[in-house]
Amino acid sequence: MRAVLFDRFGETPRVETVEAPAAAPGGVVVRVEATGLCRSDWHGWMGHDDGISLPHVPGHELAGVIESVGSGVQRWHVGDRVTVPFICACGRCEQCAQGNQQVCDNQEQPGFTHWGSFAEFVAIAEADVNLIALPDDLDFVSAAALGCRFATAYRAVMSQGRVQPGEWVAVHGCGGVGLSAIMIAVAAGAGVVAVDVSPAALALAEGLGAVPISGTGDVASAVKEATDGGAHLSLDAYGSRLTSANSIRSLRKRGRHVQVGLMLADQAIGEVPMDAVVAGELEILGSHGMAAHEYPAMLDAIVSGRIDPRILVGRTIGLDEAPRALAELDASAHPGMTVIEP
Ligand SMILES: [Zn+2]
Ligand SMILES: [Zn+2]
């Protein structure tokens, strides 16, 4: 099969012919029809994720068709249209038993713990736990756009963030997760302010119904002014020391901060203003992906037209364009999501 492969961290990947995966017992192989390009792929390629062994094929936001089924799989058949959460769970640990597969103790992530979906085929373990059937009228590109950032934003806003109609939501960082969160919060009836340093990203946020705020300068004061005293719910959708501290300082009393952007490398340890946390009884929450069993509510909202991940897709590219797109992601001139169609 053709796949995007790299031998060294930070070295431009290449498209190569490699051996296609086989379905493990309990697992499947999916023929990839669409796969999103995500900042996490860039972090992995840069060597910020110590779970990756070389050579490596990135890619974790996939949608496609089941190509082959391993022994013992009960619920799935060749030809089924599917997607997966980027965190694939074991189905057996304490977290899985409680329905919290998104923090499974034995989790696998395609494109991190094993070869991912920047390829014609990808192996997925524990198919009965992890696969999600795609509704007939949801296309593969939209489904790939759900896989990580949209689903992550959905759980962060709806489940962890517990958004209520009429609340103010602040979204710090208007990349894929941030724009998804804006759309979901607006659909939930919240007022939304969006913060970013990029005018192009802010224009997209404004188009989704958010009040744009420049990420340069005193962000917390600007958010408090725009929200009549501070956000009820604030998300750091970027993942940095600065944006997480800005998010916490943007809250009104009793507000909820949700850390949804990954904090990696030299940004791993953030600065939490504990004086504000105790004085305002703030809640500090994390949100990490979304379990497969939470997808149906989100898919219902998409099929009914209340939210539409497709409008977040900035462009689609072929596998041959993927190496350059990955290498240039950090300085990308392409706002919105890039989806690869192998
Ligand atoms: Zn992702
Ligand atoms: Zn588990």
Side-chain angles (χ1 to χ4, degrees):
M1 68 170 181
R2 299 177 77 230
V4 174
L5 187 93
F6 59 87
D7 296 307
R8 288 203 195 115
F9 295 117
E11 197 174 277
T12 304
R14 58 187 191 281
V15 178
E16 251 194 33
T17 301
V18 298
E19 197 173 335
V28 297
V29 168
V30 173
R31 186 175 79 240
V32 181
E33 296 287 346
T35 180
L37 174 62
C38 173
R39 204 175 145 77
S40 303
D41 297 312
W42 181 85
H43 278 296
W45 171 68
M46 286 293 287
H48 297 163
D49 187 309
D50 47 18
I52 292 176
S53 52
L54 298 171
H56 185 67
V57 176
H60 59 281
E61 308 185 352
L62 65 119
V65 176
I66 295 179
E67 178 77 8
S68 60
V69 177
S71 61
V73 173
Q74 304 287 323
R75 296 173 49 214
W76 303 98
H77 304 95
V78 170
D80 289 346
R81 300 169 77 248
V82 294
T83 188
V84 286
F86 70 97
I87 295 157
C88 290
C90 74
R92 291 181 295 274
C93 73
E94 180 187 350
Q95 303 304 331
C96 285
Q98 293 172 352
N100 289 313
Q101 288 87 348
Q102 74 281 356
V103 289
C104 170
D105 292 335
N106 310 307
Q107 61 189 258
E108 290 188 4
Q109 299 184 21
F112 297 94
T113 56
H114 62 283
W115 283 11
S117 54
F118 289 4
E120 290 178 279
F121 300 99
V122 64
I124 301 294
E126 304 300 341
D128 287 331
V129 177
N130 294 310
L131 290 186
I132 298 146
L134 292 181
D136 288 340
D137 37 11
L138 186 65
D139 62 282
F140 290 117
V141 170
S142 297
L146 296 178
C148 150
R149 289 164 285 181
F150 200 88
T152 294
Y154 191 86
R155 178 169 165 79
V157 172
M158 303 299 287
S159 303
Q160 296 296 80
R162 312 186 309 271
V163 69
Q164 296 295 319
E167 285 191 329
W168 278 109
V169 176
V171 176
H172 298 258
C174 299
V177 171
L179 293 172
S180 302
I182 291 165
M183 186 193 291
I184 293 158
V186 167
V192 181
V193 297
V195 183
D196 204 289
V197 294
S198 156
L202 284 180
L204 290 176
E206 195 171 9
L208 294 172
V211 177
I213 290 177
S214 169
T216 55
D218 185 350
V219 167
S221 295
V223 172
K224 283 186 169 165
E225 196 179 320
T227 58
D228 195 24
H232 299 87
L233 168 63
S234 185
L235 290 85
D236 174 12
Y238 180 73
S240 74
R241 295 164 59 96
L242 178 64
T243 48
S244 75
N246 279 345
S247 173
I248 296 166
R249 290 188 189 283
S250 299
L251 291 170
R252 70 205 298 133
K253 286 184 180 174
R254 305 268 304 157
R256 289 106 55 201
H257 162 78
V258 180
Q259 187 62 44
V260 54
L262 296 176
M263 303 281 282
L264 296 168
D266 62 344
Q267 300 296 308
I269 308 296
E271 190 179 298
V272 179
M274 279 297 175
D275 55 339
V277 171
V278 65
E281 290 196 340
L282 306 181
E283 286 183 61
I284 308 293
L285 300 153
S287 197
H288 190 240
M290 187 167 87
H293 66 81
E294 283 195 85
Y295 272 63
M298 179 179 74
L299 293 175
D300 283 351
I302 293 165
V303 170
S304 72
R306 296 199 298 281
I307 46 179
D308 180 7
R310 179 82 198 209
I311 67 173
L312 300 175
V313 176
R315 59 171 181 159
T316 56
I317 61 174
L319 208 57
D320 291 312
E321 297 162 88
R324 195 169 143 214
L326 176 65
E328 292 178 351
L329 188 67
D330 202 41
S332 182
H334 299 279
M337 296 185 190
T338 295
V339 174
I340 301 158
E341 294 179 286

